[in-house]
Amino acid sequence: MATRWGICSAGKISNDFLVALDTLPIQEHQVMAIAARDMEKAKNFAETHNIPKAYGSYEDLAKDPDIDVVYVGALHIVHRDIVLIFLQNGKNVLCEKPMAVNAAQVRELVAAARKNNVFLMEAFWSRFFPAYEEIRDLLTQNAIGDVKFVRAEIGRALTHVPRMSVKELGGGATLNIGCYLVQFALMVFNGERPECVTAKGFLHETGVIETVSIILQYPNKWQATLSCSFIAGLTDQAVICGSKGIIQVPSRIWCPTSIIVNGTERTFPLPPSSKPHHYPNATGLSYEAEHVRQCLLKGLKESPIMSLADSEMVASIMDEVHKQFGIM
């Protein structure tokens, strides 16, 4: 039986999610409906992607009996309100990152998912890329010995993108790109909570964080240094250092197609697609979609790979960073 998807929001990321779904077997993944605040936009999106139904409200999508799971691709500033609508109507949800703007909202969504006995996962697509799976396997196998240090960074000149710089849209380097770095460190360190979070950087003229370096310190002498910026290009690389070697992510830490293990590169080609998309390596969104399907088939209410505890911890670390900048 196919997993029947509903799509919430008709933006660029939703487009790319559909491009990714098209690389999966149609007998396993079917898109049944799209909802947007603007009915005309929803209709146009439905026509472009051959989606049977279009709704001009999220409530209508939430009440559709033909939907198994909803993909929420709206701006994160409204995630809390939108996701609650679906959870309270008994819908499973895959919500784009960040799941919410702070840890309190994440905890509220987790509580609602559990109360309504439905699946909820934050869409950190990175965790489901084959390159990330390989990293986890290598760490489990102790391939580089005892891991002691992680360094990762993401940076782009994106001041022209409103959701980056506009405070009312949830702007800031942390929520938009820094969360990728934090989840990476948490994955490497098995979800351990750092004993100390230190953040230094600069505010943009709009009052959001434009550049920041975050140090996560752990009691067993683990450390992660994470840097992000929306005013300057950084390497988009990561390195995991152990007592017996190094794992490098040489580019696009959030959607990598290769890693380098002690100097030897391993590559992981993406599913091909000729359809237009907006973001690099967009067909890699198929990995998280298939993971959601497998979770639902097993009756799981959260992912064993991107747990709700990890989502709460990412948000808690972001909260601490914002607190140190005085913008809570």
Side-chain angles (χ1 to χ4, degrees):
M1 180 181 293
T3 298
R4 301 171 300 175
W5 290 88
I7 306 297
C8 172
S9 182
K12 292 180 180 179
I13 189 63
S14 294
N15 173 89
D16 286 9
F17 187 74
L18 292 179
V19 170
L21 285 182
D22 280 343
T23 69
L24 296 169
I26 192 170
Q27 66 269 24
E28 296 179 1
H29 295 268
Q30 294 178 6
V31 180
M32 307 302 294
I34 166 70
R37 289 172 297 178
D38 183 327
M39 185 60 176
E40 283 305 309
K41 191 172 183 180
K43 286 180 177 179
N44 291 337
F45 196 87
E47 184 176 342
T48 298
H49 294 282
N50 297 313
I51 300 173
K53 290 179 278 189
Y55 296 116
S57 80
Y58 303 137
E59 289 81 2
D60 288 342
L61 178 61
K63 290 177 171 59
D64 188 328
D66 296 326
I67 301 299
D68 298 317
V69 56
V70 177
Y71 170 76
V72 176
L75 283 175
H76 54 269
I77 197 72
V78 296
H79 280 178
R80 179 259 182 197
D81 294 344
I82 294 174
V83 173
L84 274 179
I85 292 171
F86 295 119
L87 297 178
Q88 291 168 352
N89 279 274
K91 291 293 189 247
N92 302 300
V93 174
L94 172 63
C95 177
E96 261 308 329
K97 63 83 201 166
M99 186 182 290
V101 298
N102 56 49
Q105 289 188 0
V106 170
R107 288 191 286 269
E108 185 179 5
L109 294 178
V110 170
R114 289 175 175 158
K115 178 181 178 181
N116 291 281
N117 195 34
V118 291
F119 177 88
L120 174 64
M121 189 182 92
E122 187 172 15
F124 273 115
W125 62 324
S126 316
R127 290 222 174 165
F128 306 98
F129 271 65
Y132 268 56
E133 290 187 8
E134 183 77 354
I135 290 172
R136 289 194 296 271
D137 287 345
L138 289 166
L139 296 178
T140 299
Q141 297 161 13
N142 202 35
I144 60 168
D146 296 329
V147 175
K148 295 297 184 183
F149 181 76
V150 171
R151 184 179 68 246
E153 62 182 39
I154 300 175
R156 288 283 190 280
L158 295 169
T159 53
H160 61 286
V161 178
R163 69 179 175 85
M164 286 287 178
S165 58
V166 178
K167 193 171 187 178
E168 292 73 20
L169 296 179
T174 44
L175 288 174
N176 284 282
I177 53 180
C179 56
Y180 279 121
L181 304 174
V182 174
Q183 70 80 28
F184 182 79
L186 291 185
M187 182 187 76
V188 173
F189 291 138
N190 288 318
E192 292 287 334
R193 187 175 294 273
E195 66 174 357
C196 180
V197 177
T198 304
K200 297 292 182 181
F202 305 99
L203 291 177
H204 192 59
E205 60 188 18
T206 59
V208 302
I209 297 173
E210 66 177 26
T211 298
V212 63
S213 289
I214 304 166
I215 298 177
L216 305 182
Q217 195 126 314
Y218 296 82
N220 40 8
K221 295 186 178 180
W222 296 342
Q223 190 179 84
T225 63
L226 316 170
S227 300
C228 60
S229 175
F230 70 73
I231 62 164
L234 302 179
T235 65
D236 299 338
Q237 297 176 351
V239 60
I240 305 168
C241 303
S243 58
K244 296 191 298 186
I246 293 175
I247 300 171
Q248 297 167 271
V249 182
S251 66
R252 290 177 179 155
I253 176 182
W254 64 95
C255 58
T257 55
S258 69
I259 61 173
I260 300 171
V261 184
N262 293 330
T264 301
E265 186 172 23
R266 305 181 186 186
T267 59
F268 307 90
L270 291 171
S273 175
S274 59
K275 295 191 174 183
H277 53 82
H278 301 281
Y279 299 107
N281 297 346
T283 57
L285 288 161
S286 61
Y287 302 125
E288 69 176 1
E290 178 57 23
H291 177 76
V292 169
R293 171 176 164 79
Q294 293 304 317
C295 286
L296 296 179
L297 289 173
K298 295 172 185 174
L300 301 180
K301 303 306 177 185
E302 66 175 290
S303 164
I305 295 175
M306 185 61 221
S307 69
L308 296 175
D310 272 9
S311 291
E312 190 277 335
M313 198 178 308
V314 170
S316 294
I317 291 171
M318 294 291 96
D319 280 359
E320 178 58 29
V321 171
H322 294 156
K323 179 181 177 182
Q324 292 181 26
F325 275 80
I327 57 173
M328 282 293 291

